[in-house]
């Protein structure tokens, strides 16, 4: 790892370090805090059955975003740290640092050699500091984009490695063919005995195959293979070459499989990652447009496998998650516009706007929905001019780069052929045919590839020629045997030079440079593809998306933008030594821009620290959405006056916002302004009839206002609210259950027990069979409440069955054990069973005073006064600040004839609540019984001060005074 990678990753970490103190904001609450897949209420398999928000994919209201691997990382965070936000933010920062390092690696792989030094630094540092990334990194929900980008880049790097290995193997095959065409001497006796049995058999078979091929060419070929003396070829070297070739082939297919694997994993983090597959295919075509049959065959094999895998992945993704679900018109207003021209104008302009955000990332917002970007409804809108200019420039640059690249590839072979003819006429060498130090024929690819972009030195050019063996033109430099084999100096496609070759040393170009295609046109085309292809799913061309602009969606396309900046910077500083002043000015400008990006990124991170800062930062970009969300935050903070103002401003900008009307109604309801709250809830229902929560709170406000019949109608309507396309299915179902529970409570209040029971039964049909909570409501809760209705109806068998059903789904609930014990205790023949249920409740909740209260009362009903007193005293000890329990313990002790202990608890009750006359009267009574007449009289007088003319207290006071007078007379 070099200093550029380290510096870029370190900068990325330092810039986002201040997000560790941030909390859960905006979509984080729904995606994490209330997601059952994250908090472990569902099995691991549910991650692959639910969408990103925890809704089953089969549900009509599912969002359709299938990102199980991203949700798995949230679940991992929760398993280790719970709901501590810093761990979630730390994971995001680490992913951003890794992505920055991968961007540097991609830049080093694709940039031309003269751009690597400056270009990689500019690309890496710009990607680390670009403010457009704040939503993806500072917002925990942005982890989907971070993980997808990392896997996207890894997949591309693996495929580039696959291409390199494929070219190496192709060169190895050419070298192997060339070496096989050179005929060998007979193996010496000493060498034969060094061969293994397997190697010997392999050697015999290879030579037999060569003889067969030579036989097809004619007798001269066979004769030449036997007569010409060349350097002895050892079988050990042949075996090692074979092993190397096999290993290269294995790694070649492993990298291709890894490309598909990482692309699949990236798609399971976020859908745009699938675009890495067409990007890899595009790169393969640009890598080197060779026309050799064998090379094209290998390339097309890779492309076909990659394309087949991509189509299979896309088919599987569409089949398992389906097409994107419908969304609200406010999320993407242009998609619902009836005018086709308006949709075309607007959707054509949105990529231009996104590119502008990459160029000038100082005008950002957490949400760009509604009318934050006004629709373009006329051809005379000035924004159409920028759209036309943008697409014209992009098309012109792309077309020019493609034409120049292919023109360069077509012209290069012609120039080389002319050069060879010129060299062949001038250069002559003397050869020593009797010398034993000969070299093998070099590979055609090692000599010179017509499409290799690097330059070779003059000395090496002089030694190159079309001949694959002796490096000379087909003239009289060849031996007579070679001229005979090659049909009088006419070299065919499969011909081989059999001339001895002089041992001439010359400088060979660097192998690493031969493998890397450093064309600036290819680099620019690839960087534009990096920027365009991942953005295609968000363009509304393939399908409508649920947003106008989303900054986190630009995380992967920004890779291409940063790489283009690196390419441009490297090109401008290519000859920086020639004009030092201009280069210094350019580097100073780069430093200023980078510093501005760093400062804006750190400032923008502060906006994502909490929801109030986030929503206030967008008040001038998207006022209705920002003011509406800000009002909810201020309401939660208790700043009701500011919240009401924020809600009113939001409705002033956009009056049809059902959520804002509902939130304003909640605010007014909490202030007991029921009349205004009812109007707000009714407006919310008018604009969104499927909003079940609005019906629930409307019914609550009507009940508080005394309009019980209207409340029952509203709650019934809420329980039947249609929720096929609602955004949050769990919240909607919970609201319907709440409506039925509220309706049952209303019927119970009016004494309509059967209607209440019917409402509970209907709620049970909506709840799952397990005890999984639906935003507060569980099956156990509803069954317990239904059991209480059966008790009111004195239907004891049904009540017992309901409580037993509640225990079946929540076997560790102590309150249900107590309720069941009370029901069973009504039957005198089941007293022992009732006591058993009480003891089970005590085992489950030994420190719950309410359980001991009920058990104490049960024991008292059985005249087991001492045991009853023990339970009630323990309950009072567990709740030392509860005066009522202190009085209960004192009474139980008094009934058990433990008056001294009862005195202490009565005194404790008086100490806790000295303003209650009854406590003073009870204390006086126990003091009276204990013979403490003076203290008893004092307590009686205090009780009469708090409650004058109380007959019982006055009678007890007279008795104490008479007893005190008798004591004085004695």
């Amino acid at each position: 790892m070099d200093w550029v990678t380290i510096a870029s990753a370190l900068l990325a970490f330092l810039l986002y370090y201040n997000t560790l103190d941030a909390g859960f904001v905006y979509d984080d609450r729904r995606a994490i805090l209330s997601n059952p897949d994250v908090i472990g209420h569902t099995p691991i398999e549910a991650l692959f059955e639910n969408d990103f928000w925890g809704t089953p994919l089969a549900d009509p209201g599912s969002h359709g975003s299938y990102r199980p691997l991203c949700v798995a990382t949230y679940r991992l965070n929760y398993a280790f740290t719970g709901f501590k936000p810093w761990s979630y933010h730390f994971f995001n920062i680490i992913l951003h640092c890794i992505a920055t390092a991968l961007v540097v690696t991609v830049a080093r792989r694709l940039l031309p050699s003269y751009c690597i030094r400056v270009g990689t630094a500019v690309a890496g540092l710009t990607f680390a500091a670009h403010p457009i990334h704040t939503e993806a990194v500072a917002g925990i929900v942005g982890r989907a984009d971070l993980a997808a980008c990392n896997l996207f880049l890894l997949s591309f790097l693996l495929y580039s490695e696959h291409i390199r290995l494929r070219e190496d193997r192709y060169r190895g095959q050419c070298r192997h063919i060339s070496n096989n065409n050179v005929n060998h001497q007979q193996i010496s006796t000493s060498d034969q005995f060094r061969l293994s049995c397997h190697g010997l058999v392999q050697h015999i078979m290879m030579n037999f195959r060569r003889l067969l091929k030579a036989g097809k060419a004619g007798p001269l070929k066979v004769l030449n293979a036997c007569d010409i003396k060349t350097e002895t070829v050892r079988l050990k070297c042949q075996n090692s070459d074979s092993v190397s070739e096999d290993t290269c082939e294995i790694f070649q297919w492993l990298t291709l499989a890894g490309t598909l694997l990482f692309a699949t994993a990236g798609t399971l983090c976020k859908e745009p990652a699938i675009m890495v597959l067409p990007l890899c295919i595009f790169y393969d075509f640009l890598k080197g447009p060779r026309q050799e049959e064998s090379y094209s065959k290998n390339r097309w094999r890779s492309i076909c496998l990659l394309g087949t895998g991509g189509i299979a992945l896309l088919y599987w993704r569409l089949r398992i998650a389906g097409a994107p679900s419908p969304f609200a018109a406010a999320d993407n207003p242009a998609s619902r516009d009836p005018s086709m021209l308006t949709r075309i104008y607007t959707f054509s302009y949105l990529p231009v706007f996104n590119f502008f955000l990459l160029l000038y990332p100082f005008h950002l917002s957490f949400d760009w929905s509604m009318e934050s970007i006004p629709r373009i409804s006329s051809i005379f809108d000035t924004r159409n001019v920028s759209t036309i200019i943008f697409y014209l420039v992009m098309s012109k640059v792309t077309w020019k780069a493609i034409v120049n690249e292919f023109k360069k590839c077509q012209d290069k072979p012609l120039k080389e052929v002319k050069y060879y003819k010129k060299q062949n006429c001038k250069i002559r060498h003397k050869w020593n045919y009797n010398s034993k130090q000969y070299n093998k024929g070099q590979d055609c690819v090692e000599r010179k590839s017509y499409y290799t972009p690097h330059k070779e030195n003059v000395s090496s050019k002089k030694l190159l020629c079309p001949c694959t063996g002796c490096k000379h033109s087909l003239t009289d430099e060849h031996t007579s045997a070679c001229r005979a084999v090659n049909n009088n100096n006419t070299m065919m496609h499969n011909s081989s030079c059999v001339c001895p070759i002089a041992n001439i040393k010359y400088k060979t170009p660097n192998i690493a440079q031969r493998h890397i295609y450093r064309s600036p046109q290819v680099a620019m085309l690839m960087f534009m593809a990096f920027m365009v292809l991942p953005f295609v799913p968000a363009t509304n061309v393939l399908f409508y998306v649920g947003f106008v602009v989303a900054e986190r969606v630009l995380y992967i396309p920004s890779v291409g933008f940063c790489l283009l900046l690196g390419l441009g910077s490297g090109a401008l500083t290519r000859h920086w030594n020639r004009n030092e002043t201009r280069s210094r000015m350019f580097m100073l400008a780069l430093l200023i821009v980078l510093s501005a990006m760093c400062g804006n990124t750190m400032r923008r991170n502060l906006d994502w620290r909490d929801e109030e800062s986030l929503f206030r930062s967008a008040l001038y970009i998207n006022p209705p959405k920002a003011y509406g969300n800000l009002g909810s935050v201020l309401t939660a903070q208790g700043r009701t006056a500011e919240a009401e103002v924020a809600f009113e401003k939001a409705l002033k900008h956009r009056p049809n916002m059902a959520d804002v009307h509902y939130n304003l109604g909640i605010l007014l309801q909490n202030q007991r302004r029921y009349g205004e709250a009812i109007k707000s809830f009714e407006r919310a229902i008018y604009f969104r009839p499927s909003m079940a929560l609005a019906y629930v709170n409307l019914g609550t406000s009507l009940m508080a206002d005394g309009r019980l019949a209207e409340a029952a109608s509203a709650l019934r309507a809420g329980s039947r609210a249609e929720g096929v396309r609602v955004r949050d299915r769990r919240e909607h179902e919970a609201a319907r259950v709440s409506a039925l529970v509220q309706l049952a409570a209303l019927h119970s209040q009016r004494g309509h027990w059967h209607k209440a029971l019917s409402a509970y039964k209907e709620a049970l049909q909506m709840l799952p069979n397990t005890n999984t909570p639906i935003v507060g409501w569980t099956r156990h809760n509803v069954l317990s409440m239904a059991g209480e209705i059966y008790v009111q109806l004195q239907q004891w068998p049904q009540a017992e069955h309901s409580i037993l059903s509640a225990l079946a789904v929540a076997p560790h609930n102590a309150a249900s054990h107590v309720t069941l014990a009370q029901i069973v205790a009504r039957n005198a023949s089941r007293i022992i069973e009732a006591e058993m249920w009480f003891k089970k409740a005590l085992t489950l909740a030994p420190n719950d005073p309410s359980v001991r209260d009920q058990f104490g009362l049960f024991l008292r009903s059985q005249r087991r006064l001492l045991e009853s007193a023990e339970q009630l005293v323990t309950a009072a000890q567990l709740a030392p600040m509860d005066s009522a329990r202190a009085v209960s313990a004192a009474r139980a002790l008094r009934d058990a004839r433990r008056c001294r202990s009862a005195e202490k608890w009565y005194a404790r009750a008086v100490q806790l609540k000295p303003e209650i006359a009854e406590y003073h009267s009870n204390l006086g009574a126990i003091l009276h019984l204990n013979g403490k007449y003076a203290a008893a009289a004092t307590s009686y007088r205090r009780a009469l001060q708090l409650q004058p003319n109380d007959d019982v207290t006055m009678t007890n006071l007279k008795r104490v005074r008479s007893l005190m007078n008798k004591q004085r007379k004695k």
Side-chain angles (χ1 to χ4, degrees):
M1 186 177 292
D2 62 314
W3 71 269
V4 176
T5 306
I6 296 173
S8 301
L10 181 61
L11 178 65
F13 183 84
L14 294 176
L15 287 177
Y16 289 96
Y17 181 79
N18 59 349
T19 63
L20 294 178
D21 297 331
F24 296 102
V25 297
Y26 198 39
D27 287 337
D28 296 346
R29 297 189 176 277
R30 183 184 169 202
I32 298 173
L33 300 183
S34 61
N35 192 340
D37 292 340
V38 173
I39 59 183
H41 287 162
T42 55
I44 296 294
E45 297 80 14
L47 297 178
F48 298 90
E49 299 172 358
N50 299 339
D51 64 11
F52 183 63
W53 311 98
T55 304
L57 291 169
D59 193 290
S62 172
H63 187 270
S65 52
Y66 187 63
R67 303 164 192 173
L69 293 186
C70 183
V71 179
T73 63
Y74 295 145
R75 188 161 182 159
L76 188 66
N77 271 124
Y78 179 79
F80 283 99
T81 61
F83 285 134
K84 294 180 180 178
W86 70 265
S87 67
Y88 297 82
H89 288 289
F90 182 76
F91 201 104
N92 276 24
I93 295 173
I94 295 301
L95 287 177
H96 180 55
C97 294
I98 296 173
T100 303
L102 291 175
V103 168
V104 175
T105 305
V106 172
R108 189 172 288 107
R109 183 67 62 90
L110 297 180
L111 283 172
S113 56
Y114 61 82
C115 293
I116 290 180
R117 183 176 181 183
V118 176
T120 54
V122 171
L125 295 174
T126 304
F127 187 83
H130 205 296
I132 202 70
H133 298 155
T134 51
E135 181 177 356
V137 184
I140 301 174
V141 170
R143 183 180 298 178
D145 298 271
L146 298 174
C149 182
N150 279 276
L151 295 168
F152 183 98
L153 295 175
L154 285 172
S155 180
F156 174 77
L157 289 172
L158 275 176
Y159 193 73
S160 65
E161 185 67 14
H162 168 77
I163 294 176
R164 188 189 69 79
L165 292 172
R166 190 181 66 200
E167 290 184 348
D168 287 347
R169 185 165 176 265
Y170 172 74
R171 293 186 180 94
Q173 289 176 349
C174 291
R175 189 179 301 111
H176 183 66
I177 292 172
S178 177
N179 291 337
N180 287 341
N181 288 333
V182 178
N183 299 285
H184 312 295
Q185 273 188 338
Q186 294 181 352
I187 302 174
S188 63
T189 306
S190 60
D191 289 336
Q192 289 178 358
F193 288 103
R194 294 178 187 177
L195 299 176
S196 65
C197 180
H198 174 74
L200 181 61
V201 172
Q202 185 180 12
H203 181 65
I204 294 172
M205 294 300 295
M206 289 173 61
N207 284 301
F208 180 72
R209 183 182 176 186
R210 289 171 188 165
L211 288 172
L212 290 177
K213 289 184 177 180
K216 294 179 181 179
L220 289 177
K221 189 79 174 181
V222 179
L223 180 63
N224 182 69
C226 299
D227 292 343
I228 301 300
K229 295 183 178 181
T230 58
E231 182 183 3
T232 301
V233 180
R234 296 184 180 274
L235 192 56
K236 181 178 179 181
C237 297
Q238 294 179 359
N239 290 336
S240 63
D241 291 341
S242 178
V243 172
S244 176
E245 182 180 347
D246 293 340
T247 305
C248 182
E249 183 178 7
I250 292 173
F251 278 109
Q252 175 186 341
W253 294 116
L254 285 177
T255 51
L256 183 61
T259 301
L260 289 169
L261 179 64
F262 279 111
T264 303
T267 306
L268 294 180
C269 288
K270 196 167 185 179
E271 293 77 7
I274 197 175
M275 300 306 293
V276 70
L277 298 179
L279 179 70
C280 291
I281 294 174
F282 182 67
Y283 175 62
D284 204 348
F285 278 114
L286 292 178
K287 182 66 171 62
R290 299 184 179 180
Q291 301 299 326
E292 293 94 330
E293 181 180 355
S294 58
Y295 186 82
S296 297
K297 179 181 178 181
N298 292 332
R299 172 194 288 166
W300 278 107
R301 183 168 55 183
S302 299
I303 290 174
C304 289
L305 289 174
L306 202 64
T308 303
I311 294 172
L313 176 60
L314 180 62
Y315 174 77
W316 174 77
R317 168 62 181 82
L318 293 175
R319 182 170 183 176
I320 194 171
S325 60
F327 45 85
D331 295 335
N332 190 356
S335 63
R336 302 292 180 87
D337 196 286
S339 174
M340 180 181 293
L341 290 177
T342 299
R343 296 197 297 272
I344 293 174
Y345 296 151
T346 304
F347 292 149
S348 299
Y349 171 72
L350 290 180
V352 183
F353 186 85
N354 281 274
F355 184 75
F356 175 76
L357 286 180
L358 291 173
L359 280 176
Y360 187 78
F362 300 95
H363 188 67
L364 305 177
S365 172
F366 76 97
D367 190 281
W368 293 87
S369 61
M370 300 180 183
E371 296 297 333
S372 55
I373 301 177
R375 283 169 279 182
I376 302 177
S377 57
S378 172
I379 194 174
F380 300 105
D381 195 306
T382 56
R383 289 175 291 177
N384 289 326
V385 178
S386 61
T387 302
I388 294 173
I389 294 174
F390 175 78
Y391 288 112
L392 284 177
V393 171
M394 291 283 289
S395 302
K396 180 67 176 178
V397 171
T398 304
W399 178 253
K400 187 175 181 180
I402 293 175
V403 170
N404 289 344
E405 178 63 22
F406 281 92
K407 184 178 179 182
K408 176 182 176 182
C409 296
Q410 291 174 0
D411 292 345
K412 204 164 189 179
L414 297 177
K415 294 180 180 179
E416 291 182 356
V417 170
K418 293 179 180 178
Y419 178 77
Y420 288 144
K421 289 182 179 179
K422 185 176 180 181
Q423 292 294 327
N424 292 334
C425 293
K426 293 182 178 180
I427 300 176
R428 296 289 185 271
H429 292 280
K430 294 182 178 180
W431 299 87
N432 183 9
Y433 296 104
N434 297 321
S435 176
K436 296 183 179 180
Q437 296 179 352
Y438 300 139
N439 288 338
K440 295 181 183 179
Q442 299 294 321
D443 185 3
C444 57
V445 178
E446 288 183 339
R447 295 196 333 267
K448 178 71 178 177
S449 175
Y450 292 153
Y451 303 98
T452 303
H454 71 275
K455 296 181 178 179
E456 296 188 5
N457 53 36
V458 178
S459 62
S460 64
K461 285 181 178 179
K462 291 179 180 179
L463 297 174
L464 301 179
C465 73
C467 179
T468 60
C470 64
K471 311 299 182 185
H472 285 80
S473 60
L474 305 180
T475 57
D476 55 358
E477 279 83 1
H478 289 274
T479 61
S480 58
C482 183
R483 286 198 297 272
V485 169
N486 292 299
N487 195 13
N488 199 18
N489 294 336
T490 303
M491 295 291 288
M492 306 302 292
H493 179 68
N494 293 323
S495 300
S496 60
C497 180
V498 295
C499 296
I501 302 167
N503 188 15
I504 302 175
K505 297 181 181 180
Y506 58 91
K507 191 173 182 180
T508 304
N510 189 6
I511 296 176
Q513 292 181 353
R514 294 202 308 268
H515 290 173
I516 301 174
Y517 194 53
R518 298 292 187 180
S519 170
Q521 290 85 3
V522 170
M524 187 178 66
L525 290 172
M526 282 304 302
F527 298 160
M528 293 178 69
F530 262 100
M531 188 169 57
V532 172
L533 288 178
F535 186 72
V536 168
T539 57
N540 293 277
V541 174
L542 303 177
F543 47 81
Y544 293 136
V545 295
F547 54 85
V548 180
V549 171
E551 295 167 15
R552 61 179 177 270
V553 173
L554 294 175
Y555 190 82
I556 303 180
S558 67
V559 173
F561 178 79
C562 295
L563 292 173
L564 280 174
L565 290 180
L567 178 63
S569 302
L572 290 174
T573 58
R574 181 178 183 179
H575 303 294
W576 65 278
N577 290 327
R578 299 179 182 177
N579 195 333
E580 189 174 354
T581 303
R582 186 180 65 179
S583 299
R584 287 182 177 180
M585 292 179 63
F586 178 74
M587 296 304 293
L588 180 61
L590 279 179
L591 184 61
I592 293 173
V593 171
L594 182 63
S595 301
M597 284 185 174
C598 293
N600 191 52
T601 296
M602 296 183 70
R603 185 203 60 78
R604 181 62 177 164
N605 289 341
L606 299 178
D607 292 338
W608 284 87
R609 179 180 294 271
D610 55 64
E611 291 186 327
E612 182 178 355
S613 301
L614 181 64
F615 299 145
R616 288 190 183 278
S617 66
L619 291 177
Y620 300 101
I621 298 176
N622 192 352
K625 190 69 172 284
Y627 275 117
N629 290 343
L630 179 61
S632 300
V633 173
L634 295 173
T635 301
Q637 295 177 358
R639 300 155 63 180
T640 56
E642 299 176 64
E644 187 173 353
V645 172
F647 286 138
E648 290 175 353
K649 288 184 178 180
L651 293 174
K652 184 178 179 180
H653 285 91
R654 192 178 180 89
N656 62 343
M657 298 172 66
D659 290 328
V660 178
H661 282 293
Y662 169 77
N663 292 329
L664 178 59
I666 294 293
L667 175 65
L668 298 171
Q669 183 180 1
N670 293 336
Q671 296 178 349
R672 298 185 180 182
R673 296 158 61 181
Y674 297 114
E676 298 175 68
I678 290 170
K679 292 181 181 179
S680 294
F681 291 134
E682 287 175 344
R683 291 192 192 100
I685 293 170
Y686 175 77
F687 291 117
R688 192 185 300 171
S690 62
M691 195 174 189
L693 270 176
Y695 290 100
V696 174
N697 287 277
L698 175 60
T700 303
S701 296
L702 290 170
M703 289 171 61
D705 203 35
R707 298 155 64 176
L708 301 182
E710 297 177 57
S713 300
L715 292 171
R716 174 54 64 183
S719 67
R720 297 173 179 172
E722 184 66 32
V724 177
R725 298 295 182 184
V726 294
R727 185 174 183 179
D728 192 337
R729 175 63 108 183
R730 295 190 307 276
E731 184 182 78
H732 180 77
E733 293 301 322
R736 293 180 63 197
V737 173
S738 296
L740 290 169
V741 172
Q742 292 280 4
L743 182 61
L746 176 59
H747 288 318
S748 300
Q749 180 181 349
R750 302 173 71 181
H752 301 160
W753 304 112
H754 291 284
K755 292 183 178 180
L757 187 60
S758 177
Y760 282 132
K761 288 181 178 179
E762 192 173 345
L764 287 172
Q765 293 178 355
M766 297 182 187
L767 291 169
N769 293 328
T770 61
N771 204 39
T772 303
I774 300 185
V775 193
W777 295 108
T778 63
R779 190 171 188 84
H780 171 266
N781 299 139
V782 179
L783 284 169
S784 300
M785 290 184 287
E788 295 176 1
I789 298 298
Y790 282 120
V791 170
Q792 294 294 332
L793 293 172
Q794 296 186 357
Q795 298 179 4
W796 308 114
Q798 292 85 345
E800 182 179 351
H801 176 73
S802 181
I803 299 301
L804 286 173
S805 300
L807 284 174
V809 294
H812 302 293
N813 187 274
S816 297
H817 285 81
V818 171
T819 304
L820 182 59
Q822 291 173 337
I823 294 173
V824 172
R826 296 187 63 86
N827 190 341
S829 62
R830 302 174 67 185
I831 295 299
I832 298 176
E833 183 182 352
E835 185 175 354
M836 179 193 68
W837 287 113
F838 274 121
K839 289 181 178 179
K840 284 185 178 180
L842 282 176
T843 304
L844 293 171
N847 296 324
D848 188 350
S850 62
V851 176
R852 295 189 178 273
D853 286 338
Q854 298 299 326
F855 189 31
L857 294 177
F858 167 76
L859 293 172
R860 184 176 181 178
S861 67
Q862 301 301 313
R863 307 304 300 170
R864 297 159 64 178
L865 301 179
L866 188 58
E867 297 176 62
S868 174
E870 289 176 357
Q871 294 297 329
L872 293 174
V873 167
T874 304
Q877 290 173 346
L878 291 172
M881 304 305 294
D882 192 337
S883 59
R885 284 195 168 90
V887 171
S888 298
R891 287 174 181 171
L893 290 168
R894 180 179 174 179
D895 293 340
R897 299 183 181 279
R898 297 175 61 181
C899 296
R900 296 294 180 185
S901 299
E903 179 184 335
K904 295 178 181 179
W905 285 105
Y906 276 129
R908 176 64 178 169
V910 169
Q911 181 182 359
L912 292 173
K913 292 291 180 68
E915 71 278 3
I916 297 179
E918 182 182 358
Y919 292 174
H920 289 280
S921 180
N922 290 333
L923 178 59
I926 198 66
L927 291 170
H928 189 175
L929 290 176
N930 291 335
K932 299 178 181 180
Y933 302 127
T938 303
S939 295
Y940 286 142
R941 283 193 294 269
R942 179 56 182 163
L944 288 173
Q945 290 175 358
L946 295 171
Q947 188 177 355
N949 303 322
D950 183 68
D951 294 337
V952 175
T953 305
M954 291 175 66
T955 301
N956 290 334
L957 180 58
K958 289 178 181 179
R959 290 177 181 175
V960 168
R961 284 176 178 174
S962 64
L963 291 173
M964 291 173 64
N965 290 332
K966 289 180 181 180
Q967 284 182 347
R968 289 193 193 102
K969 290 178 182 180
K970 292 181 180 179

